Amino acid sequence: MPTLLILILAAALVVVLWIWLTRERRLEAQVRQLQLELASVKAARNLALIEEQDKQQTVFNSMVEGLLILDENGRVQFSNPTLGTLFDLRHEIRGQTLLEALRHHELKAVAERSLLEGRVTDFELTLSGREPRVLQVNAASFRDRDRAHAGTILVFHDLTRIKQLENVRKEFVANVSHELRTPLSLIKGYVETLIDGAKDDPAIALRFLQTIEKHADRLSFLIEDLLTISQLEAGQIVLNQQALSLSEQIDQVIRDLHSRAVERQITLCNEVATELVVNADGDRFQQVLFNLVDNAVKYGRQGGMVRLGARRMNTEMVEGWVADDGPGIPPEASERVFERFFRVDRARSRDAGGTGLGLSIVKHIVQSHGGEVRVETEPGKGCTFYYTLPARA
Ligand code: ADP
């Protein structure tokens, strides 16, 4: 009997043990399964994180703005390549303070202000150097989940080009106003003098009226040139390019300017071979030649010679030139004569009826044909203006 009991108890123990072991194994399998699932969730999350970071990195790297992220201690955590270009950085700045990295006290103050005021602050920073730049800086501080300061983001937007354009526009408006006001006030002055009695002296009246006419002409030339410039700049002029005989075009301009050349005893000489043909818009090309020859007559030597020549440069282009034997242009001014309203001798240009826009119109027209303009000059020996235009095969 006791043996049977012992056997039953042993059997029961074996069964319990077997059940326990089976459960243990199942649990172990479940744990392993869960561990596997956890690992794959972690791997997926890491992958998503890496992808997200990659995406962020691509965005930051392709930004035209410079970007700088400071950690909660004010040390550089991240900067993008544009920032390196803007500040000409040649070394790693990660871990440095803002002052160490960019060396501008004003930036430190902007970052501190954004933290203090809890809003985005902005500031204009001027960088001096070989190529001065103007940057707009926006600084914003950010906080973590516990509302503690976690860092600052600084974004640098390059305003240099915008500022330059703004200055060019301001200068242009000031120049135009000045150019318009001068002849207008002269006209007004002469009219008032006529009204006040000068009209009763026929000789004086005639002289005054002729002066008024001269200034009125100047006004209308100026307005015409301004309209041409604005149409050329707005790209409103559609070129009607066609085969033009260079020599015939030059003859036409020589005829148009004949009487002015005679006034200054200047000989205009067409030295272009008859077979040279350019592919250009007739009216616009006439304007180019007219402005260049008109200048050579206005500023050239009284009794001198103006030569118009050309050569085939290659299969694509023809180079033409207008050469005078006048006083020439000082070397430092030879690049600037193509700028709007630039004159070497303001009084002389005005006196000769110049608007200061002739060469900038020439440059625009030639460039819109795909050509280039330049001047070669030797003070005292005259100057030669060169232009290139597409050749006609
Ligand atoms: P402007 O109406 O004053 O002639 P342009 O744009 O045609 O304006 O020329 C700009 C300036 O370049 C002129 O004011 C003059 O000082 C200089 N210039 C142009 N052509 C000549 C030239 N052939 N010889 C000397 N100076 C010239």
Side-chain angles (χ1 to χ4, degrees):
M1 191 60 187
T3 319
L4 187 66
L5 199 66
I6 289 168
L7 273 173
I8 291 168
L9 275 174
L13 201 68
V14 167
V15 169
V16 168
L17 209 65
W18 181 77
I19 292 172
W20 185 76
L21 271 173
T22 318
R23 258 192 58 200
E24 188 76 354
R25 256 185 244 124
R26 213 183 302 135
L27 277 174
E28 262 175 25
Q30 276 176 355
V31 166
R32 264 199 308 276
Q33 177 64 27
L34 282 174
Q35 277 173 338
L36 274 174
E37 278 173 24
L38 191 68
S40 81
V41 166
K42 269 188 183 165
R45 224 189 52 192
N46 279 348
L47 200 69
L49 210 67
I50 290 169
E51 274 176 13
E52 191 55 36
Q53 279 174 348
D54 265 4
K55 232 187 277 172
Q56 266 184 16
Q57 192 76 32
T58 312
V59 170
F60 292 160
N61 288 354
S62 58
M63 276 171 71
V64 285
E65 288 88 6
L67 182 75
L68 187 77
I69 302 178
L70 301 175
D71 65 14
E72 69 275 22
N73 300 315
R75 292 193 173 266
V76 176
Q77 199 173 36
F78 175 82
S79 67
N80 70 350
T82 309
L83 187 95
T85 313
L86 289 176
F87 285 86
D88 199 15
L89 299 175
R90 286 152 203 264
H91 52 269
E92 177 60 72
I93 57 168
R94 193 188 296 238
Q96 294 186 339
T97 63
L98 189 53
L99 199 58
E100 285 165 351
L102 303 183
R103 303 181 186 279
H104 282 278
H105 285 275
E106 305 97 309
L107 288 178
K108 191 168 167 266
V110 177
E112 284 169 358
R113 194 149 51 86
S114 85
L115 178 62
L116 213 67
E117 296 177 6
R119 61 176 184 88
V120 180
T121 50
D122 60 359
F123 169 72
E124 238 175 67
L125 178 70
T126 307
L127 302 180
S128 50
R130 236 179 332 122
E131 280 178 42
R133 287 182 196 268
V134 183
L135 305 179
Q136 153 132 14
V137 188
N138 288 103
S141 294
F142 55 95
R143 294 176 185 277
D144 62 14
R145 264 188 239 134
D146 306 323
R147 307 291 305 141
H149 171 57
T152 308
I153 298 184
L154 291 117
V155 180
F156 300 80
H157 187 71
D158 193 353
L159 298 181
T160 315
R161 182 85 190 115
I162 296 172
K163 291 273 174 194
Q164 280 167 350
L165 290 175
E166 202 176 290
N167 285 343
V168 168
R169 189 191 58 79
K170 276 189 196 156
E171 209 177 296
F172 182 66
V173 171
N175 272 323
V176 170
S177 322
H178 179 75
E179 295 293 331
L180 289 172
R181 211 178 302 125
T182 314
L184 264 180
S185 55
L186 284 168
I187 291 174
K188 200 160 177 286
Y190 281 109
V191 170
E192 276 168 9
T193 321
L194 280 169
I195 293 170
D196 287 348
K199 65 178 187 312
D200 302 326
D201 181 333
I204 293 181
L206 180 67
R207 199 155 46 81
F208 280 14
L209 286 170
Q210 280 166 341
T211 313
I212 288 172
E213 188 188 26
K214 188 175 132 191
H215 291 299
D217 281 347
R218 220 178 104 192
L219 273 179
S220 75
F221 293 149
L222 180 66
I223 288 163
E224 234 169 76
D225 279 359
L226 282 172
L227 282 175
T228 309
I229 286 264
S230 86
Q231 284 172 336
L232 284 165
E233 284 187 349
Q236 279 172 1
I237 290 180
V238 183
L239 297 178
N240 174 22
Q241 275 174 269
Q242 50 185 303
L244 300 173
S245 151
L246 197 48
S247 184
E248 280 174 24
Q249 294 293 313
I250 289 172
D251 280 340
Q252 174 67 43
V253 171
I254 289 182
R255 275 195 297 277
D256 291 346
L257 284 165
H258 175 73
S259 58
R260 279 199 222 182
V262 168
E263 264 175 45
R264 303 204 67 229
Q265 296 122 47
I266 288 177
T267 311
L268 302 178
C269 192
N270 180 357
E271 297 177 342
V272 174
T274 42
E275 67 274 10
L276 267 184
V277 178
V278 289
N279 186 24
D281 178 303
D283 291 344
R284 297 293 151 200
F285 184 41
Q286 276 294 308
Q287 209 165 355
V288 167
L289 287 174
F290 187 95
N291 287 359
L292 292 178
V293 180
D294 186 41
N295 278 352
V297 171
K298 276 191 307 199
Y299 307 111
R301 182 170 63 85
Q302 176 133 13
M305 166 88 93
V306 175
R307 294 188 142 86
L308 286 98
R311 69 177 177 105
R312 183 88 179 228
M313 288 173 80
N314 46 42
T315 48
E316 316 265 287
M317 304 300 273
V318 166
E319 182 181 61
W321 58 85
V322 178
D324 65 59
D325 52 2
I329 294 168
E332 66 279 9
S334 60
E335 274 297 312
R336 300 202 60 199
V337 285
F338 295 99
E339 287 173 21
R340 298 182 298 199
F341 295 115
F342 179 85
R343 286 126 155 168
V344 178
D345 182 341
R346 196 163 278 271
R348 171 127 192 240
S349 155
R350 291 234 178 88
D351 211 41
T355 60
L357 295 171
L359 288 178
S360 87
I361 291 177
V362 166
K363 184 173 171 180
H364 260 296
I365 296 177
V366 171
Q367 285 183 342
S368 63
H369 280 81
E372 290 297 333
V373 286
R374 70 192 164 91
V375 60
E376 275 180 14
T377 173
E378 205 178 320
K381 294 206 172 143
C383 48
T384 305
F385 282 88
Y386 292 90
Y387 57 88
T388 54
L389 283 177
R392 187 67 166 219

